[in-house]
Amino acid sequence: NAGVTQTPKFRILKIGQSMTLQCTQDMNHNYMYWYRQDPGMGLKLIYYSVGAGITDKGEVPNGYNVSRSTTEDFPLRLELAAPSQTSVYFCASSSLGTGILYGYTFGSGTRLTVV
Amino acid sequence: GQNIDQPTEMTATEGAIVQINCTYQTSGFNGLFWYQQHAGEAPTFLSYNVLDGLEEKGRFSSFLSRSKGYSYLLLKELQMKDSASYLCAVRDNYGGSQGNLIFGKGTKLSVKP
């Protein structure tokens, strides 16, 4: 039982490049989330999904896209990387049952630097 | 608007007790969570409160007052490994029936010998 798996763990991008941050969970959770965490700023919600085929914007969606074709996978796409997207990205998941009591299960994070 | 406030940093001594406060103003309320996050790692679940009162779990306890928009996390018998950031998060009423978590900026706790 791996939980929530994120890849890559680290990445350096040049301005204007694109990349996809991968997130997979094996807990059959309906809900999945992408957050970014900047120093001193707390976790900000980028996008979330309540099930396969359904996604919605969070607080800071600009510059990002997501898809949810399966229950397990929730990739985050950066199309034109900008220095403002330098951050640590966390994917998380929860189910309706456990989510009520335990909140989210987080992946280990992706540390992205845009130069 | 959504606002969650907690102190930026705290320092305490090994073996002591520390209380980390959190106040919140959110458009909806569907529970309050505390997470622990060690440097360079992911947040991990500590506690959950949805009704007023104290929830105790070993060395950690969490209190909630919904009328005051206030919670605290109490850590007893502090150990060096408790040095970490502590995140207060409120679940709002959006994002389907479950709601999404809104996080405070976190309190960095340093435990000294």
Side-chain angles (χ1 to χ4, degrees):
Chain A
N1 189 348
V4 179
T5 302
Q6 286 185 240
T7 56
K9 292 192 183 303
F10 303 93
R11 183 74 185 268
I12 299 175
L13 274 184
K14 293 184 178 180
I15 295 172
Q17 286 185 322
S18 62
M19 77 164 293
T20 299
L21 282 67
Q22 301 293 343
C23 176
T24 300
Q25 52 93 7
D26 62 358
M27 298 172 286
N28 201 32
H29 284 174
N30 301 101
Y31 300 82
M32 296 189 75
Y33 312 83
W34 275 105
Y35 282 86
R36 60 176 288 172
Q37 186 175 38
D38 301 313
M41 294 302 294
L43 287 154
K44 300 291 186 183
L45 182 63
I46 305 172
Y47 271 95
Y48 66 95
S49 169
V50 300
I54 306 171
T55 63
D56 209 344
K57 297 177 180 179
E59 184 181 358
V60 290
N62 292 343
Y64 307 95
N65 277 300
V66 293
S67 60
R68 183 93 183 271
S69 57
T70 66
T71 299
E72 294 78 20
D73 300 311
F74 190 42
L76 178 72
R77 179 82 177 163
L78 284 71
E79 290 294 349
L80 292 170
S84 61
Q85 294 177 305
T86 294
S87 187
V88 180
Y89 292 84
F90 287 102
C91 178
S93 72
S94 72
S95 70
L96 183 59
T98 60
I100 291 175
L101 296 177
Y102 302 117
Y104 302 167
T105 299
F106 283 87
S108 58
T110 296
R111 187 175 297 273
L112 176 67
T113 302
V114 182
V115 296
Chain B
Q2 317 275 47
N3 193 46
I4 300 176
D5 285 321
Q6 47 183 133
T8 303
E9 293 186 44
M10 298 183 71
T11 302
T13 304
E14 191 176 17
I17 299 174
V18 70
Q19 178 174 312
I20 302 174
N21 296 324
C22 172
T23 58
Y24 63 89
Q25 291 176 308
T26 55
S27 55
F29 180 83
N30 204 11
L32 187 143
F33 295 80
W34 284 95
Y35 283 82
Q36 181 188 61
Q37 185 178 25
H38 284 100
E41 297 183 9
T44 55
F45 170 82
L46 283 179
S47 69
Y48 167 69
N49 296 72
V50 68
L51 299 177
D52 291 351
L54 188 68
E55 294 284 341
E56 297 186 81
K57 189 183 295 185
R59 293 190 299 114
F60 293 12
S61 302
S62 57
F63 172 83
L64 174 67
S65 169
R66 289 171 296 170
S67 62
K68 295 182 179 179
Y70 168 70
S71 173
Y72 68 73
L73 179 69
L74 192 71
L75 291 75
K76 305 174 186 176
E77 302 170 13
L78 280 172
Q79 302 175 10
M80 299 299 291
K81 68 178 182 179
D82 297 329
S83 293
S85 288
Y86 292 85
L87 313 181
C88 174
V90 171
R91 183 163 58 207
D92 64 18
N93 296 119
Y94 298 99
S97 60
Q98 184 167 255
N100 297 325
L101 291 187
I102 304 165
F103 285 84
K105 295 180 180 181
T107 299
K108 184 177 180 181
L109 174 67
S110 298
V111 180
K112 300 191 180 304

